Amino acid sequence: MGRKLALLATAAAAGALIVPYVLSEAATTPLENLNLADVACAIVDKKLNPKGLGMSSEQIRNAGTIVSVGAQMGVPVRGRVVAVATAMQESNLRNIPYGDRDSKGLFQQRPSMNWGSASQVMNPVYSASKFYSRLIKVPGWQNMKVTDAAQAVQHSGFPDAYAQHEQKAVQIVASANSTPGGVQQVNSSSGCTPLSIPASANVTGYVSAALGQVGKPYEWGGTGPDTFDCSGLIVWAWRQKGYQLKVRTSQDMYEVAVPVASGQERSGDLIFTQFQSGGPAHVMIVVRPGTAVEAPRTGLDVRVRTYDPATEDMKFGRLPASQMDAITAQA
């Protein structure tokens, strides 16, 4: 055991947490006395209150259909957010039989533009599946902004309009349960990973478990308990709290994560960086907004660092509970 690990072990035995000086070029000040007690975490109300999200029964039903169709088709979570945001802009989640020229339905699809017959595009299941089938054919759609991905399918005269619906779409998709058509409400001002697990017992514990590995060496493919790579740290930390992730790599996590807008991230959310053609090559855990814990790269130990989305190419995401299997917690 190296000197740094020995110091950490001593501190852990005393109930303390040592956070080393940040070695990143973006942050060179020490971080001390990290306290998770006041970190905002998820609140879930399993009975969606239409007043809470300003949604009618029809809108709730249609949103649930869009989410469940995407899940049945195997479309990544990000695609379901794109679809819900699109329908919010095009029809306000109402299955309307009119629109610009011959546009109809949830997505305002035009029979004259080969979207299907008038009766077909008025069928929410059909219209959602048709939207998804075109979305997944757009090259690189998963690395696009939500509004750009929507526009690539819709070719709207207002290409930026979809962006205004992204956060509400995230709330709907992030909280969708496994029952087809089911939608749950998420508190609009807070959120942690995963949304269906009590944050006080699990999210804070998972972040703390990752923080407890500060000082241990990076190793590609490492999933603990002695060495870690970036995503391996996340997998290991969740395992300590009794959950086995269904995803392993940063790219896999990005595929299924619910997008979170910069500035809206919460403790336990993920930060994806170093984007390449196959997706993000690196992932970190949000400790609190502006602070992350990561297993950086060969030669740098697990560490805590500050981050600045304004100067770093970052995207945030939240792992849904559907990507976790309950297991016996690993002590």
Side-chain angles (χ1 to χ4, degrees):
M1 179 181 290
R3 182 172 180 273
K4 183 183 291 184
L5 292 179
L7 287 172
L8 284 169
T10 301
L17 173 65
I18 292 179
V19 181
Y21 280 82
V22 176
L23 300 178
S24 168
E25 296 85 350
T28 57
T29 56
L31 300 172
E32 300 174 348
N33 302 320
L34 208 54
N35 181 6
L36 297 181
D38 61 347
V39 172
C41 286
I43 299 175
V44 175
D45 177 359
K46 292 188 177 181
K47 295 180 180 179
L48 190 145
N49 176 2
K51 294 181 180 179
L53 290 177
M55 297 170 68
S56 68
S57 297
E58 179 190 6
Q59 290 171 314
I60 294 169
R61 182 174 62 254
N62 289 330
T65 296
I66 293 169
V67 172
S68 62
V69 168
Q72 291 162 12
M73 291 179 64
V75 177
V77 173
R78 184 170 297 269
R80 299 174 220 171
V81 172
V82 174
V84 172
T86 299
M88 291 174 71
Q89 170 61 27
E90 297 292 352
S91 69
N92 197 22
L93 288 172
R94 294 182 297 122
N95 196 30
I96 52 180
Y98 56 84
D100 179 48
R101 286 169 281 191
D102 59 336
S103 299
K104 301 178 187 299
L106 288 175
F107 295 89
Q108 288 292 281
Q109 295 160 336
R110 297 180 59 191
S112 63
M113 299 300 290
N114 300 316
W115 282 97
S117 68
S119 60
Q120 285 177 320
V121 298
M122 282 297 295
N123 181 318
V125 173
Y126 173 89
S127 63
S129 63
K130 195 71 172 179
F131 176 87
Y132 286 125
S133 67
R134 293 199 179 186
L135 174 66
I136 60 179
K137 293 179 182 178
V138 175
W141 72 267
Q142 293 187 64
N143 291 326
M144 295 179 179
K145 293 180 180 179
V146 168
T147 191
D148 292 340
Q151 174 63 6
V153 176
Q154 298 294 105
H155 304 292
S156 168
F158 305 93
D160 299 322
Y162 305 103
Q164 64 186 310
H165 304 290
E166 180 175 346
Q167 282 309 297
K168 192 169 181 179
V170 166
Q171 290 178 278
I172 293 170
V173 177
S175 57
N177 59 31
S178 58
T179 303
V183 181
Q184 300 172 355
Q185 181 182 4
V186 181
N187 180 283
S188 61
S189 61
S190 63
C192 275
T193 306
L195 294 168
S196 64
I197 296 175
S200 60
N202 293 292
V203 174
T204 299
Y206 132 76
V207 174
S208 294
L211 286 169
Q213 308 317 299
V214 167
K216 290 188 177 180
Y218 175 95
E219 181 182 34
W220 187 85
T223 55
D226 300 316
T227 62
F228 301 91
D229 65 13
C230 63
S231 53
L233 177 65
I234 296 164
V235 171
W236 183 89
W238 270 118
R239 195 182 301 132
Q240 309 320 296
K241 303 312 298 178
Y243 295 92
Q244 179 64 53
L245 298 189
K246 297 179 182 179
V247 286
R248 169 62 179 89
T249 67
S250 57
Q251 293 90 347
D252 291 341
M253 292 177 183
Y254 183 71
E255 288 267 337
V256 302
V258 178
V260 174
S262 177
Q264 298 297 315
E265 71 271 17
R266 296 291 183 265
S267 179
D269 286 343
L270 303 181
I271 308 172
F272 299 100
T273 65
Q274 300 176 23
F275 283 86
Q276 302 172 357
S277 59
H282 187 56
V283 61
M284 302 180 282
I285 304 170
V286 175
V287 177
R288 61 175 0 130
T291 304
V293 58
E294 65 169 347
R297 61 180 183 274
T298 302
L300 290 179
D301 298 335
V302 176
R303 65 184 184 179
V304 172
R305 58 160 289 193
T306 58
Y307 65 84
D308 180 9
T311 59
E312 300 180 73
D313 181 17
M314 293 179 163
K315 294 182 180 179
F316 298 89
R318 185 169 296 153
L319 288 179
S322 61
Q323 295 301 315
M324 303 186 179
D325 290 325
I327 60 172
T328 301
Q330 307 297 303

